[in-house]
Structures are given as structure tokens and as C-alpha cells.
């Protein structure tokens, strides 16, 4: 299995050279990241954990290296999702099996095969970081200037009473009523959540990746939201595998925990298979 991959980001990151860098190079997850995931959520939100995970796994973005947690948190939600899906493919394989409830809630559980790579078709040209929408009410046309949500916004919103609204409010740079008077981002977010949500979706389409599903029991059709972080978290479990593997590897190869945790997960599994053959 390849231990590195690259994924093209839609928006990317701006380097010290003032240029936009879009190609992210990722490494397969090792036991170190698995231990980090096992400790999540704990006091951290999934968005915090995703930032730590991506910072650990990203070797470079274009010509920018090393890549800090700060830089990863500054990427758009959609770019982060592209990186998480790419890591899922690299770490867990080309095909992932998911179990989801029927979209019409008939009680059936559906087993679907997901190919993360197929969700990662090449993005179009990058969008500008700031946008304006005009939206009408009975009083006239309102002007809302906003930027796209990034990892910092996700991390902050996860701690708010209403995360969806907090995410939108955090991205509003300015909102003016038909008379040209400014209103606060919080007011603008509750008034214009729907048009702003649509604009986010259009400008950062990978932020919400969905897979079409059909219930095998009642025939209902629907869409399942694909969350790269949740899939990785579920796929790697809660660390029991890591600690059991470490114990077995330490016995078979006399390596330190640090050395074992530094191995890509797929390679650790191959060593263990070998140890089993030798022992058998
Ligand atoms: Zn059903």
C-alpha cells in the first residue's frame, strides 16, 4: 500500500510568497495519530482533533513545508474534508464499508460501500477568499460580505450553543441593510442563514460530501452525509487495536513503543501478520 498521497485542494493556502498553494501531500497515519484519535473527543471537539490529525499527516501544501496546525486550521472546511477523505483512503483502503440507517427511518440498517477516492474528483479553479451576496427582504436589498468557513471557525463553533449559526456568524465580515446601516454578524446570521448556507455550499462544495443511498428494505432514496473525520475515527477504533498490536509487536520484534507507534498503520499490520506466521 502507498504510504503517501497527494490531493488537490480547491482553495489551498497562501504562502509567504503571496501565492496560493493547492497540492497537499499526506502521509498514511501511524500509531501516533491513532493514539491521538483514541483520546478524542475527551476535552477536544472533533474539529480540534481533525486539525491535530491533519497537521501531523500533512508533509507539505504546494511549496509550503512544514505545515503547522495553524495553517491547517486556516484551510476551508471543504479543503479539510478533501484531505480527511484522502487520508481515509490511504489509511483504511480504497473501499470503506459503512452501516447507515434507512433515510426514511423504516428501521432497516443499510450496508454501503464507499470509495473515498471517487468522491475526490478534481476541483474547478479556486474561488476568491471573500464574497458578497445581495439578498432581498420586504424592506429592500441587503448586502452581506463574507468569507468561507475554515477550521478555526469549525473549532470555535463547536463550542457555541448553536454551532450552525455560530459558524455562519463567524464568517460574516459586514452586513448592511437597504439604507446602508450595518447590523451585527449575529443578527445577519439568524436573518440570512439560508442564503449564506447555500453560498457556502456552492463556493466550497466539498464541505458537505453526500452519497446517494437507497434502502434495500423499503426502497426509500436519500443522501448520507459523508464525514471523513467520523469515518477515520470509527475505522481506527478507540485505540484498543493500537495497544494490543504494540504489545504483540514489542514481544515479537523487541521494538520500543515509540518505534512501533511511528510505523504507518498498514505496515504495522504487515509486520504483525509476519510475526504470526513465524510464531505459527
Ligand atoms: Zn427503509
Amino acid at each position: 500500500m502507498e504510504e503517501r498521497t497527494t490531493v488537490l485542494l480547491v482553495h489551498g493556502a497562501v504562502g509567504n510568497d503571496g501565492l496560493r498553494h493547492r497540492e497537499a501531500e499526506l502521509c498514511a497515519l501511524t500509531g501516533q495519530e491513532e493514539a491521538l484519535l483514541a483520546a478524542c473527543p475527551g476535552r477536544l471537539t472533533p474539529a480540534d482533533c481533525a486539525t491535530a490529525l491533519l497537521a501531523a499527516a500533512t508533509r507539505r501544501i504546494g511549496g509550503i513545508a512544514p505545515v503547522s496546525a495553524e495553517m491547517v486550521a486556516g484551510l476551508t472546511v471543504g479543503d479539510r474534508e478533501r484531505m480527511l477523505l484522502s487520508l481515509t483512503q490511504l489509511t483504511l483502503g480504497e473501499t470503506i464499508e459503512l452501516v447507515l440507517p434507512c433515510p426514511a427511518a423504516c428501521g432497516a440498517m443499510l450496508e454501503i460501500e464507499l470509495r473515498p477516492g471517487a468522491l475526490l474528483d478534481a476541483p474547478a479553479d479556486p474561488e476568491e477568499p471573500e464574497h458578497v451576496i445581495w439578498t432581498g427582504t420586504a424592506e429592500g436589498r441587503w448586502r452581506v460580505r463574507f468569507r468561507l468557513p475554515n477550521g478555526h471557525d469549525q473549532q470555535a463553533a463547536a463550542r457555541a450553543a448553536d454551532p450552525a449559526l455560530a459558524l455562519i456568524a463567524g464568517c460574516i465580515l459586514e452586513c448592511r441593510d437597504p439604507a446602508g446601516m450595518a447590523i451585527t454578524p449575529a443578527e445577519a446570521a439568524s436573518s440570512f442563514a439560508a442564503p449564506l448556507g447555500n453560498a457556502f455550499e456552492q463556493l466550497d462544495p466539498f464541505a458537505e460530501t453526500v452519497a446517494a443511498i437507497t434502502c434495500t428494505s423499503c426502497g426509500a432514496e436519500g443522501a448520507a452525509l459523508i464525514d471523513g473525520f467520523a469515518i477515520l475515527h470509527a475505522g481506527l477504533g478507540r485505540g484498543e487495536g493500537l495497544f494490543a498490536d504494540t504489545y504483540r509487536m514489542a514481544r515479537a520484534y523487541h521494538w520500543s513503543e515509540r518505534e512501533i507507534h511511528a510505523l504507518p498503520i498498514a505496515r504495522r499490520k504487515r509486520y504483525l501478520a509476519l510475526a504470526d506466521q513465524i510464531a505459527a
Side-chain angles (χ1 to χ4, degrees):
M1 192 184 282
E2 272 296 317
E3 287 169 3
R4 288 200 180 197
T5 192
T6 57
V7 60
L8 189 61
L9 306 180
V10 180
H11 302 90
V14 176
N16 291 331
D17 54 8
L19 300 174
R20 186 170 291 278
H21 295 251
R22 293 175 66 200
E23 188 190 66
E25 184 178 339
L26 305 166
C27 276
L29 298 180
T30 67
Q32 283 156 2
E33 289 83 59
E34 208 177 353
L36 187 150
L37 270 174
C40 183
R43 288 171 56 225
L44 300 174
T45 65
D48 297 330
C49 295
T51 295
L53 196 67
L54 287 173
T58 308
R59 286 293 159 270
R60 61 175 180 85
I61 298 176
I64 308 170
V67 175
S68 64
E70 181 65 23
M71 175 164 284
V72 166
L75 297 173
T76 68
V77 174
D79 277 349
R80 286 159 60 89
E81 198 57 34
R82 286 180 71 78
M83 291 164 80
L84 287 167
L85 286 173
S86 197
L87 265 186
T88 302
Q89 183 180 25
L90 188 62
T91 307
L92 300 177
E94 299 284 327
T95 310
I96 314 289
E97 293 188 357
L98 298 179
V99 179
L100 301 166
C102 160
C106 77
M109 294 302 286
L110 314 177
E111 284 176 30
I112 68 163
E113 272 197 354
L114 181 75
R115 297 176 66 82
L119 300 171
L120 292 171
D121 48 349
D125 291 339
E127 294 284 349
E128 290 306 310
E130 279 188 30
H131 306 269
V132 170
I133 54 168
W134 290 87
T135 182
T137 65
E139 298 147 74
R141 300 223 306 153
W142 296 64
R143 182 180 188 274
V144 189
R145 190 161 63 83
F146 65 96
R147 58 175 178 76
L148 291 171
N150 60 31
H152 288 299
D153 302 312
Q154 279 183 306
Q155 290 172 240
R159 293 185 166 80
D162 185 336
L165 214 56
L167 186 76
I168 294 174
C171 294
I172 295 174
L173 302 170
E174 187 190 56
C175 179
R176 292 190 178 273
D177 71 11
M181 296 292 288
I183 63 166
T184 68
E187 289 171 318
S190 48
S191 303
F192 305 117
L196 283 165
N198 289 340
F200 289 173
E201 206 178 300
Q202 209 173 1
L203 296 166
D204 199 20
F206 292 93
E208 292 211 336
T209 304
V210 292
I213 53 173
T214 305
C215 179
T216 45
S217 179
C218 74
E221 291 181 357
L225 188 64
I226 303 302
D227 178 336
F229 179 76
I231 295 171
L232 267 176
H233 201 196
L236 295 179
R238 304 200 175 281
E240 297 93 344
L242 170 66
F243 301 116
D245 285 2
T246 304
Y247 173 74
R248 288 170 60 208
M249 293 252 327
R251 277 182 45 139
Y253 296 105
H254 306 289
W255 290 355
S256 70
E257 181 185 85
R258 190 195 171 96
E259 287 166 323
I260 298 166
H261 285 194
L263 286 173
I265 296 165
R267 187 129 51 101
R268 186 176 82 220
K269 299 293 181 195
R270 289 205 299 272
Y271 273 111
L272 275 172
L274 197 62
D276 288 343
Q277 276 178 21
I278 293 166

